[in-house]
Amino acid sequence: FRMASPSSSSALTGAHTAKMGVEKGDLPSLFDVLAQESLTTSLKPAANFLFKVLARMNPERWGGCSRWSEELFALFDLLLQHHYLKNYGSSFSENFYGMKRVIMTSHRFSSLGGTRLRSILLLVAWPYFKGKLEALHERITEQLQYLRPNVDEPVSLKLKRIFLKLWPWLKTIFSALGFLMQLSYAMNWSSTHSPAQWMSGTQLHRLTPQDLASFQMQPLHHAAGILPRLWRFVVSIPGVLSRLFGYSLFLLQFIDLFYNSDLGAQLAKKTDIGRVPKAPHKLLSEEEVMSLETSKCPICLCKRVNDTALTCSGYVFCFACIDTYVKSESRCPVTGLPASPASLVRIFTAPS
């Protein structure tokens, strides 16, 4: 046997790479892919807000925009995505982040062929019908939340109950599959990052200078100059704000979960260790309390605020002092008799 030369070895490696698909550098990073998806999802809320503003400004002329906002945005999205798929071989958000769609089998870019229709269906039709199914699920949930299943109920009601059970499972399966595909894409095990991308029969590649030069008319966000930069900034604002809003919600939920959990309570107790307690460090005896001024609290030794009596012993304290002490010690600080927050009686005096 003869050992292969370095040139033949590199040729075999290149052939294997070509057989497996594209070069690693041709694929965009997962962060770029998620950024373009975030831009795609932020277009609809921005359009709905615009429709609502128009309807409030002139209800007679633009009142229908708010009622038919879903259909109007779907029509706008259809025209937008068809224009970019036909002229640039990618969706609007993919082109904005410097990506293109190529066919999996042939890796052709200039003409998507039959995959263009599948891409439009998955980019426009699927989000539209998914939103309708979400709204239908909410309406059926409100309709059936007080109705118990009955053997004699009509078939339409039984189908609604089946839909209520299946739809959350379908969403969960689709989300789990998307997460696994994103993980595989990040680990370079797969060249597609989502089930929709795989069903369209395309992959995302980076745009090259040759691709930009082949465009008959370059998009504004790929041109040079001040106006294109301003346009890129304006278009990217909704995506950035939506991501910041999502991260903020996640942070707030994490903080709320942490402080309301047993672990948060244990850590809060540990932080109290080593702190110097408020004076007096040693509680007064009953004889010492009797020698105090009648307006002073036996715990803080200051003038009482919000007088509160403890029924088990009859002594009067500040409400904040005795409430905190009884909750932690469950006894009277002077006599040591058992006490609870229910033993506290607020004393209200009429103004003189």
Side-chain angles (χ1 to χ4, degrees):
F1 296 96
R2 291 184 302 173
M3 295 183 64
S5 62
S7 59
S8 61
S9 177
S10 60
L12 288 173
T13 304
H16 175 71
T17 304
K19 183 178 178 182
M20 291 297 294
V22 297
E23 295 288 344
K24 180 180 177 180
D26 292 339
L27 297 175
S29 66
L30 181 62
F31 297 102
D32 292 335
V33 171
L34 296 179
Q36 68 87 16
E37 287 187 348
S38 177
L39 177 59
T40 301
T41 56
S42 63
L43 290 177
K44 185 176 180 181
N48 290 337
F49 178 76
L50 178 61
F51 294 148
K52 290 181 180 179
V53 171
L54 291 175
R56 290 180 180 179
M57 291 176 57
N58 195 336
E60 296 180 358
R61 176 177 295 182
W62 305 107
C65 293
S66 181
R67 293 193 300 269
W68 300 95
S69 59
E70 299 285 338
E71 287 71 20
L72 289 174
F73 177 76
L75 178 60
F76 164 76
D77 198 25
L78 174 63
L79 297 176
L80 179 68
Q81 305 301 352
H82 180 267
H83 170 75
Y84 272 85
L85 287 170
K86 181 179 179 181
N87 295 285
Y88 307 114
S90 62
S91 66
F92 167 73
S93 59
E94 292 164 356
N95 184 267
F96 182 84
Y97 281 95
M99 305 176 198
K100 62 182 179 180
R101 292 192 173 210
V102 298
I103 303 174
M104 288 184 183
T105 54
S106 62
H107 300 292
R108 288 187 293 110
F109 158 65
S110 58
S111 176
L112 292 177
T115 58
R116 187 189 306 168
L117 178 60
R118 277 186 286 172
S119 297
I120 290 177
L121 290 175
L122 292 168
L123 286 170
V124 181
W126 166 240
Y128 172 76
F129 287 109
K130 182 181 178 182
K132 291 296 184 182
L133 290 174
E134 287 282 1
L136 177 63
H137 185 269
E138 293 180 1
R139 290 198 303 268
I140 295 177
T141 302
E142 295 178 357
Q143 178 184 355
L144 302 182
Q145 62 179 344
Y146 300 115
L147 294 178
R148 294 184 177 180
N150 190 359
V151 180
D152 299 331
E153 62 185 12
V155 178
S156 60
L157 206 57
K158 293 180 179 179
L159 293 177
K160 290 180 180 179
R161 295 189 186 278
I162 294 174
F163 173 72
L164 286 181
K165 294 181 179 180
L166 289 181
W167 178 243
W169 281 101
L170 292 176
K171 288 197 304 180
T172 303
I173 293 173
F174 196 81
S175 300
L177 184 60
F179 173 77
L180 292 176
M181 294 190 71
Q182 288 180 1
L183 181 62
S184 300
Y185 185 86
M187 302 296 293
N188 295 320
W189 296 339
S190 173
S191 58
T192 54
H193 68 281
S194 67
Q197 192 77 45
W198 178 79
M199 287 187 287
S200 68
T202 61
Q203 299 172 346
L204 291 179
H205 292 189
R206 300 181 188 273
L207 282 174
T208 62
Q210 293 78 11
D211 297 328
L212 295 174
S214 65
F215 294 153
Q216 295 182 358
M217 182 179 65
Q218 286 194 8
L220 183 61
H221 46 262
H222 286 302
I226 298 178
L227 287 178
R229 291 181 181 178
L230 182 60
W231 168 247
R232 287 196 293 268
F233 174 74
V234 171
V235 173
S236 61
I237 286 177
V240 173
L241 292 179
S242 63
R243 274 180 282 174
L244 289 177
F245 183 70
Y247 297 152
S248 302
L249 288 180
F250 174 77
L251 179 61
L252 290 175
Q253 290 177 352
F254 174 78
I255 294 175
D256 180 71
L257 178 64
F258 175 79
Y259 279 101
N260 290 329
S261 63
D262 295 336
L263 177 61
Q266 292 176 2
L267 293 178
K269 289 182 179 179
K270 289 182 179 180
T271 57
D272 292 336
I273 299 176
R275 292 182 180 178
V276 179
K278 294 182 180 181
H281 298 188
K282 183 179 179 181
L283 293 175
L284 302 178
S285 63
E286 194 166 0
E287 291 78 9
E288 293 171 328
V289 172
M290 296 297 294
S291 64
L292 289 177
E293 297 180 12
T294 57
S295 62
K296 287 188 176 181
C297 172
I299 297 178
C300 66
L301 302 182
C302 299
K303 186 177 180 179
R304 288 193 302 269
V305 178
N306 297 328
D307 294 359
T308 303
L310 194 60
T311 57
C312 65
S313 62
Y315 286 100
V316 182
F317 309 84
C318 300
F319 174 76
C321 296
I322 190 60
D323 182 66
T324 304
Y325 187 89
V326 167
K327 285 181 178 179
S328 61
E329 303 295 334
S330 300
R331 62 186 179 88
C332 174
V334 179
T335 63
L337 295 173
S340 66
S343 305
L344 303 180
V345 177
R346 300 284 296 272
I347 302 175
F348 298 95
T349 57
S352 57

